[in-house]
Amino acid sequence: MSYSKFFHVEKALNTLSFITEQGQVLVVFAAFVAKKNNFTPEQSIEAVVTGSDLSEPVKSSFLDSVKEWKNYSLSSFEKVPEEEMKLFLEEKILNSVYRRDTPGNEEPVYDMSSDFCDLCCKLLEITPEDTLLDITPGTGTFLTYVADKNPCKTMQGYQYIKYAWLMGNLLSYVRGVTSIELYPTTAFTDGKTYSKIIAAPFHIDEALVENYFKDLLSLLSEDGKLLLFLGHGFSRTSLGTYVNVKKYLLDEGYLNAVIDFPARIFMFSSLMRFELLILTKNNKSARMIDSSSLFGESRRGVSPFTPEVCASIKGLLKEDNEFSKNVDYEVIRKKNYLFSPMFYLHEEKINLPGAEEYEQLSSLLESRIQRGVQIRASELEDIESGKDTGKYYLFAKDIQDNKISPKLMPINEINSRWTSLVLREGDLVLVLALTEKIKVACVENISDKEIVPASNIYIIRTDKSKLEPHYLKALLETEEANRLFTTFGGGNALRSISVDFLNRLQIPLPSMEVQKKIAERYSEIEAKREELKSQLELLTKEKASVLENLMEPSSQAV
């Protein structure tokens, strides 16, 4: 007969089946404290916690969180092994309950795997004499890891998500780590400095980010090192408050290195890409590192940060190759303060075998690249027409197999403000959001139709004396273009391409004669493909009707 690995814990919790999942963690923790301190099992949760060696702030927060059940007896846990409760608490705290938003709290909790903690230890180069500060929105996993594997002089943490702060204290208690200090705040008012700091300001409002950086860096000692974990939107923007922050980091000589990580390698986010900024003092250049090639296909539940990967990333901090390069601050300034390693390690260029001449796309356009019309859903309902008006609204979903669907939504009118956005013959429409393939189509046979695209579509209007539209479409459909767009795609959960990237994009530019030949041949192939698709659809319908037709009485032999 097989049992659940937490059989005894779950059996004890059955007597309290109405308690929430979070409540179960708190109750089991109280039982763990009772067992650890040899309290009598009849005592209530409140009595056990009050009489424990937990700090007064932790006691207060715990009892406030468990107030509905604080008078319950822990007698059902009398025979539950202490080690089983410990393992239950570690798993629940780290892997389930607190990885999502908690009640009354809009911000999720992020915890670091032990392998990633190991990488951060290596990057920080923690020594026994260091003073460490952790300001990551987790449950103190990095501090407890350091205390266990690489202890140093002092280990403190600030946690602005109150419930995560409580869980961090409970986790450190369960693991027997008494050398760390967790505080429920990010108000840096004690005037201390630290030799090693790790922070992840994922949820700092952009309006506050400049002060946050300055306050954070004021905590760094003269020879200290700070790891800053950010979504890569920060590094890839040349606009807004983020640029002021990046100017400050360069002007004060703080930027030491930037490490770019691919998407889908962190267990707390399957979509976002992240970058790690290493900040120290008195720098004039920064090491740019693309670590994406080091990671294989990720497997569910298995950390991609293997010892080999961690060693390779640390090695890239000291060597120049195709994945690592030292870049002078002046070069970064000339790139409009783009911090992403992609802009220094990879060319924004569609390479084509045999091509000799390349030009920036921006120099080959009749007018600047524009986005389509921004219309709210309520406004769209007002202008939608029930009949064909000759005026249409183009959604991204209407670009199918890189052709514009003939069935577009008719609208009553086209506002005079949208005149420059009405599509013309030969325009290219390109969907901002990146999917497995680039979605692009050429406007053809428009006749007297008036079509305006949605705001998530770019309008690219080429100078037809320099660049044949169908040739450009053919380039954008290549695997090389797809790889390049994926590399330089920005955003977090929804990745997209920017106008700046498109303007800087270098494309192979043969003579107009060659461009037209390529475009004509490409169009012939597309026409043949459409013909074959139609034939396939007819054969599919015929196949589906075979049984039905042959089973009719008239078709059966007499």
Side-chain angles (χ1 to χ4, degrees):
M1 183 176 181
S2 61
Y3 292 98
S4 150
K5 62 180 176 179
F6 303 128
F7 172 78
H8 300 94
V9 171
E10 291 167 357
K11 184 178 179 181
L13 285 170
N14 282 339
T15 61
L16 306 170
S17 57
F18 51 87
I19 289 181
T20 64
E21 188 178 5
Q22 293 176 0
Q24 289 178 3
V25 172
L26 297 171
V27 170
V28 174
F29 177 79
F32 176 84
V33 172
K35 182 83 67 171
K36 185 179 177 66
N37 291 278
N38 297 315
F39 292 158
T40 57
E42 297 81 19
Q43 290 195 58
S44 68
I45 292 173
E46 182 177 28
V48 167
V49 173
T50 302
S52 73
D53 54 350
L54 292 165
S55 70
E56 291 304 317
V58 173
K59 288 180 184 179
S60 176
S61 180
F62 183 96
L63 292 174
D64 184 59
S65 300
V66 78
K67 57 188 173 185
E68 298 175 44
W69 319 296
K70 65 181 181 180
N71 293 321
Y72 291 154
S73 166
L74 294 166
S75 57
S76 62
F77 288 87
E78 182 178 6
K79 296 182 179 180
V80 179
E82 182 181 327
E83 183 63 19
E84 185 179 319
M85 287 190 281
K86 176 180 182 289
L87 294 174
F88 174 88
L89 289 167
E90 286 185 323
E91 180 170 308
K92 292 297 181 181
I93 290 174
L94 292 177
N95 298 327
S96 57
V97 182
Y98 306 104
R99 205 169 293 284
R100 62 171 184 267
D101 291 357
T102 52
N105 199 351
E106 296 177 354
E107 297 165 346
V109 175
Y110 300 96
D111 274 313
M112 297 162 63
S113 69
S114 60
D115 292 324
F116 188 65
C117 286
D118 183 60
L119 173 62
C120 292
C121 280
K122 286 182 169 64
L123 295 176
L124 282 171
E125 299 177 304
I126 295 174
T127 69
E129 295 304 310
D130 276 322
T131 52
L132 172 65
L133 177 63
D134 177 5
I135 319 176
T136 55
T139 54
T141 48
F142 183 65
L143 285 180
T144 55
Y145 180 89
V146 173
D148 182 42
K149 305 290 186 183
N150 199 4
C152 55
K153 190 173 182 179
T154 63
M155 293 163 280
Q156 296 179 330
Y158 290 108
Q159 178 48 262
Y160 61 87
I161 302 175
K162 186 177 180 181
Y163 213 77
W165 163 79
L166 174 61
M167 288 302 107
N169 277 283
L170 302 192
L171 183 65
S172 63
Y173 186 92
V174 166
R175 289 178 167 176
V177 177
T178 59
S179 54
I180 70 172
E181 303 169 67
L182 281 173
Y183 302 100
T185 179
T186 52
F188 315 130
T189 57
D190 57 12
K192 293 181 182 177
T193 59
Y194 301 82
S195 60
K196 301 294 163 65
I197 303 175
I198 184 168
F202 293 139
H203 304 293
I204 300 297
D205 187 275
E206 187 174 344
L208 304 174
V209 74
E210 194 167 354
N211 286 335
Y212 175 88
F213 268 77
K214 289 180 179 179
D215 288 345
L216 184 61
L217 287 163
S218 71
L219 303 175
L220 189 64
S221 65
E222 191 62 29
D223 59 348
K225 182 181 288 188
L226 190 160
L227 297 189
L228 198 62
F229 200 40
L230 296 164
H232 78 164
F234 172 84
S235 291
R236 296 186 178 218
T237 184
S238 297
L239 303 170
T241 306
Y242 289 159
V243 172
N244 295 334
V245 173
K246 291 190 280 188
K247 285 181 180 177
Y248 174 78
L249 293 178
L250 295 192
D251 291 345
E252 299 299 320
Y254 281 116
L255 189 65
N256 177 282
V258 183
I259 303 174
D260 188 46
F261 294 102
R264 297 180 176 87
I265 62 166
F266 293 101
M267 294 180 183
F268 53 72
S269 175
S270 62
L271 294 174
M272 289 178 69
R273 292 182 66 171
F274 295 93
E275 286 171 343
L276 194 63
L277 272 62
I278 301 178
L279 305 180
T280 57
K281 294 186 177 181
N282 304 315
N283 299 292
K284 294 182 179 180
S285 62
R287 172 72 57 179
M288 296 292 177
I289 296 173
D290 174 14
S291 71
S292 57
S293 65
L294 302 176
F295 296 90
E297 197 68 32
S298 61
R299 291 183 293 159
R300 186 175 180 84
V302 178
S303 172
F305 289 96
T306 63
E308 294 77 18
V309 167
C310 293
S312 296
I313 291 173
K314 193 169 187 301
L316 288 174
L317 286 167
K318 298 177 180 178
E319 61 185 71
D320 284 333
N321 57 35
E322 59 183 315
F323 306 114
S324 176
K325 181 179 181 181
N326 203 48
V327 179
D328 190 83
Y329 277 4
E330 284 307 310
V331 175
I332 299 174
R333 289 187 176 101
K334 289 176 181 177
K335 285 266 190 182
N336 294 321
Y337 297 93
L338 293 168
F339 276 15
S340 175
M342 299 303 167
F343 296 101
Y344 305 94
L345 297 171
H346 306 284
E347 282 191 294
E348 296 159 289
K349 180 179 182 180
I350 300 177
N351 285 299
L352 198 64
E356 296 178 355
E357 299 293 330
Y358 287 82
E359 289 285 345
Q360 277 197 345
L361 181 59
S362 58
S363 67
L364 305 171
L365 303 179
E366 180 183 312
S367 56
R368 65 184 177 86
I369 298 171
Q370 298 187 83
R371 290 178 64 167
V373 178
Q374 176 71 54
I375 305 178
R376 291 195 295 267
S378 57
E379 294 175 324
L380 203 54
E381 288 178 5
D382 292 338
I383 66 171
E384 183 178 0
S385 175
K387 59 182 181 180
D388 193 343
T389 61
K391 300 176 176 63
Y392 307 92
Y393 190 71
L394 174 68
F395 293 96
K397 64 180 177 63
D398 295 324
I399 300 175
Q400 301 165 4
D401 290 330
N402 284 0
K403 283 189 169 294
I404 297 175
S405 169
K407 297 179 181 178
L408 304 180
M409 187 182 84
I411 54 179
N412 290 317
E413 60 176 346
I414 290 182
N415 193 296
S416 59
R417 291 180 289 115
W418 306 342
T419 303
S420 65
L421 303 177
V422 176
L423 296 178
R424 301 181 195 170
E425 188 79 17
D427 283 350
L428 259 63
V429 284
L430 176 68
V431 177
L432 277 72
L434 291 174
T435 54
E436 288 186 7
K437 296 290 183 182
I438 296 169
K439 292 186 71 173
V440 59
C442 191
V443 178
E444 299 175 284
N445 305 316
I446 198 166
S447 187
D448 58 350
K449 296 176 184 175
E450 294 181 85
I451 304 172
V452 288
S455 61
N456 60 344
I457 296 174
Y458 287 127
I459 304 168
I460 302 176
R461 188 163 292 156
T462 69
D463 179 342
K464 295 181 181 61
S465 67
K466 299 178 181 177
L467 181 59
E468 216 288 331
H470 289 87
Y471 167 71
L472 177 58
K473 177 176 180 284
L475 283 176
L476 296 179
E477 289 182 338
T478 60
E479 286 299 323
E480 172 68 7
N482 199 61
R483 181 198 62 77
L484 192 67
F485 278 46
T486 300
T487 298
F488 283 93
N492 290 321
L494 183 63
R495 301 190 58 229
S496 60
I497 46 179
S498 69
V499 170
D500 285 343
F501 164 72
L502 291 173
N503 282 326
R504 291 192 299 266
L505 180 64
Q506 294 184 63
I507 63 170
L509 194 70
S511 68
M512 283 302 298
E513 181 183 1
V514 172
Q515 288 184 47
K516 286 178 180 178
K517 284 182 179 179
I518 292 172
E520 286 170 7
R521 181 60 184 143
Y522 206 76
S523 296
E524 288 173 6
I525 293 170
E526 285 196 320
K528 184 65 176 177
R529 186 185 67 168
E530 290 301 309
E531 181 184 334
L532 292 172
K533 278 176 61 181
S534 298
Q535 290 179 17
L536 182 60
E537 287 172 8
L538 288 173
L539 288 171
T540 302
K541 290 178 181 178
E542 185 178 339
K543 178 183 174 183
S545 64
V546 167
L547 282 175
E548 181 183 334
N549 293 338
L550 291 180
M551 290 300 288
E552 290 179 1
S554 60
S555 65
Q556 297 182 33
V558 178

